[in-house]
């Protein structure tokens, strides 16, 4: 009897050991697979790290983000996530590095009331200013919090095309270097209306080629800043918290908008109609360059970002429209403005 009990115990021990070995092997295989994914991702995005410790630290963040992506994509959502260029950053790091919108202390939108599209009736069912030749290539602000400058310049490029029939890629760097005041401060944040004020006062902007982007805030090059390639005469604010008014504006030209773009899902957005979650704490400036309706009937805003073409839908995001609350999704209708020729 003792012999039989001993055999049972040995068999049980072997079974437990087998399960342990199997689980351990599976975990090791998964780690190896994830490690391969990380190495491939590093190659795709040209990412290098300073040492082994940093590599391991970034791998752990990458692994957590990929697990979140896989879990999210397994659910029923209108959009998908993916391991984009921000996949080795925590959400806290992402927000600190890439969001640079800040509300002006003077909030000039309260003082301005004109809105020339108020009685606009020519509002088509869909609009894509890219197909009208009014949108330049997707640019990349890098680790400089100057989204506000990219948003304003994109809107100015649009109105320049509409008023002159010339699409000119204009200089964000001129705005970053030269527009430094109580409202705007280069890589440390600002807002598009402040950029419009600077451009008007400066008499225009030069080209991107003449004053190229450097991803840093430098000293204003006066010679380049006075070589104007395009001008604007003013700017107007879209009535706040009014998606219908925003639609009228975007139907007529690209519009600078502020959003809450610091969320985890926004960071890792890949494709589809983004529906949140996000709040109303505005921290990022982008440009609404159209709108439309997805095949499932979901209405959306077509938004040009400034994080390069490897983020989102080749640098763009479609954000759900007519969501049922005044601010719009992620606050897109809270602080919108556009330049006038």
């Amino acid at each position: 009897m003792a012999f039989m009990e001993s055999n049972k115990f040995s068999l049980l021990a072997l079974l437990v050991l087998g399960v342990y070995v199997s689980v351990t092997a599976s975990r090791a295989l998964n780690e190896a697979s994830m490690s391969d994914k990380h190495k491939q991702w590093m190659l795709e995005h040209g990412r290098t790290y300073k040492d082994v410790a940093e590599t391991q630290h970034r791998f752990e963040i990458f692994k957590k983000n990929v697990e979140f992506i896989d879990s999210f994509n397994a659910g029923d959502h209108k959009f998908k996530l993916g391991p984009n260029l921000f996949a080795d950053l925590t959400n806290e790091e992402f927000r600190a590095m890439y969001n640079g919108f800040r509300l002006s202390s003077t909030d000039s939108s309260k003082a301005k009331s004109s809105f020339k599209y108020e009685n606009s009736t020519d509002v088509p069912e869909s609009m894509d200013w890219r197909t009208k030749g009014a949108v330049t290539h997707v640019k990349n602000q890098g680790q400089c919090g100057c989204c506000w400058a990219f948003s304003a310049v994109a809107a100015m490029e649009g109105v320049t095309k509409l008023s002159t029939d010339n699409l000119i890629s204009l200089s964000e760097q001129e705005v970053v270097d030269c527009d430094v005041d109580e409202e705007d401060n280069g890589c440390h944040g600002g807002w598009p209306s402040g950029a419009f004020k600077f451009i008007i006062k400066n008499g225009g902007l030069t080209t991107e080629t003449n004053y190229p982007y450097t991803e840093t805030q430098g000293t204003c090059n006066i010679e380049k800043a006075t070589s104007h390639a395009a001008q604007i005469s003013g700017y107007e604010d879209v009535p706040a918290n009014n998606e219908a008014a925003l639609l009228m504006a975007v139907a007529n030209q690209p519009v600078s908008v502020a959003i809450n773009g610091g969320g985890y899902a926004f960071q890792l957005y890949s494709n589809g109609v983004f529906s949140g979650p996000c709040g109303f704490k505005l921290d990022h400036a982008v440009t609404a360059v159209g709108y439309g309706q997805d095949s499932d009937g979901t209405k959306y805003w077509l938004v040009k970002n400034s994080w390069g073409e490897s983020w989102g839908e080749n640098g763009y995001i479609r954000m759900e429209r007519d969501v049922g609350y005044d601010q719009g999704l992620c606050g897109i209708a809270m602080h919108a403005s556009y330049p006038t020729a």
Side-chain angles (χ1 to χ4, degrees):
M1 180 66 71
F3 176 75
M4 292 178 62
E5 290 295 326
S6 176
N7 279 349
K8 288 181 179 178
F9 178 78
S10 298
L11 182 60
L12 179 61
L14 286 172
L15 286 172
V16 171
L17 179 61
V19 171
Y20 173 77
V21 170
S22 177
V23 170
T24 302
S26 176
R27 183 179 296 127
L29 182 63
N30 182 60
E31 288 290 328
S33 175
M34 188 66 74
S35 178
D36 289 341
K37 286 182 180 179
H38 185 224
K39 290 174 183 176
Q40 182 61 38
W41 176 88
M42 289 174 64
L43 287 173
E44 289 177 2
H45 295 280
R47 190 80 88 246
T48 58
Y49 304 116
K50 63 182 180 181
D51 53 32
V52 174
E54 175 69 5
T55 300
Q56 183 61 32
H57 175 61
R58 290 298 156 193
F59 168 71
E60 293 298 333
I61 295 172
F62 177 84
K63 176 184 173 184
K64 180 181 178 182
N65 285 340
V66 170
E67 289 171 347
F68 171 70
I69 289 167
D70 290 343
S71 175
F72 182 93
N73 289 345
D76 184 19
H77 303 283
K78 297 178 181 179
F79 64 100
K80 297 292 185 182
L81 306 182
N84 59 29
L85 72 164
F86 302 133
D88 68 341
L89 298 177
T90 67
N91 185 244
E92 291 75 19
E93 290 172 328
F94 164 74
R95 293 199 310 269
M97 292 179 183
Y98 293 96
N99 294 337
F101 173 87
R102 65 181 186 185
L103 284 174
S104 165
S105 58
T106 57
D107 193 357
S108 64
S109 63
K110 294 179 181 178
K112 296 179 71 65
S113 59
S114 63
F115 176 53
K116 68 178 182 177
Y117 300 124
E118 182 176 7
N119 298 315
S120 179
T121 57
D122 185 18
V123 179
E125 290 187 2
S126 64
M127 174 58 69
D128 185 343
W129 285 110
R130 297 175 302 182
T131 65
K132 308 290 185 180
V135 183
T136 61
H137 63 283
V138 171
K139 304 178 185 183
N140 193 344
Q141 70 185 71
Q143 294 183 26
C144 171
C146 60
C147 58
W148 58 279
F150 279 81
S151 172
V153 169
M156 181 176 172
E157 290 169 341
V159 77
T160 298
K161 165 63 178 178
L162 295 176
S163 61
T164 69
D165 201 33
N166 292 318
L167 181 64
I168 306 170
S169 185
L170 298 171
S171 174
E172 290 83 10
Q173 192 65 45
E174 180 181 346
V175 179
V176 171
D177 288 351
C178 306
D179 178 18
V180 181
D181 55 26
E182 68 277 5
E183 289 186 346
D184 306 321
N185 189 14
C187 294
H188 302 289
W191 75 328
S193 292
F196 293 146
K197 288 180 183 178
F198 161 75
I199 295 166
I200 295 165
K201 182 178 179 181
N202 188 54
L205 275 185
T206 191
T207 64
E208 179 185 20
T209 301
N210 186 47
Y211 204 152
Y213 186 63
T214 63
E215 202 177 321
T216 58
Q217 182 176 353
T219 302
C220 181
N221 187 316
I222 302 298
E223 182 179 354
K224 291 182 178 181
T226 54
S227 177
H228 308 314
Q231 298 82 34
I232 56 174
S233 61
Y235 76 95
E236 295 181 346
D237 294 301
V238 178
N241 304 320
N242 188 333
E243 278 199 281
L246 182 57
L247 187 73
M248 293 178 188
V250 179
N252 286 278
Q253 67 180 94
V255 175
S256 179
V257 294
I259 59 171
N260 175 250
Y264 199 11
F266 200 94
Q267 172 186 346
L268 299 171
Y269 168 79
S270 175
N271 59 82
V273 179
F274 183 80
S275 56
C278 52
F280 304 131
K281 185 177 180 181
L282 305 178
D283 58 11
H284 189 48
V286 288
T287 314
V289 296
Y291 56 86
Q293 186 169 308
D294 203 17
S295 57
D296 66 356
T298 304
K299 296 179 180 179
Y300 63 81
W301 296 107
L302 175 62
V303 175
K304 181 185 183 184
N305 205 346
S306 53
W307 293 339
E309 294 183 357
S310 64
W311 180 87
E313 296 181 333
N314 298 314
Y316 292 85
I317 182 172
R318 286 179 292 155
M319 298 176 62
E320 190 168 359
R321 178 167 58 93
D322 288 352
V323 290
Y325 39 87
D326 295 340
Q327 301 93 331
L329 184 70
C330 305
I332 194 171
M334 292 175 68
H335 283 272
S337 56
Y338 53 88
T340 54

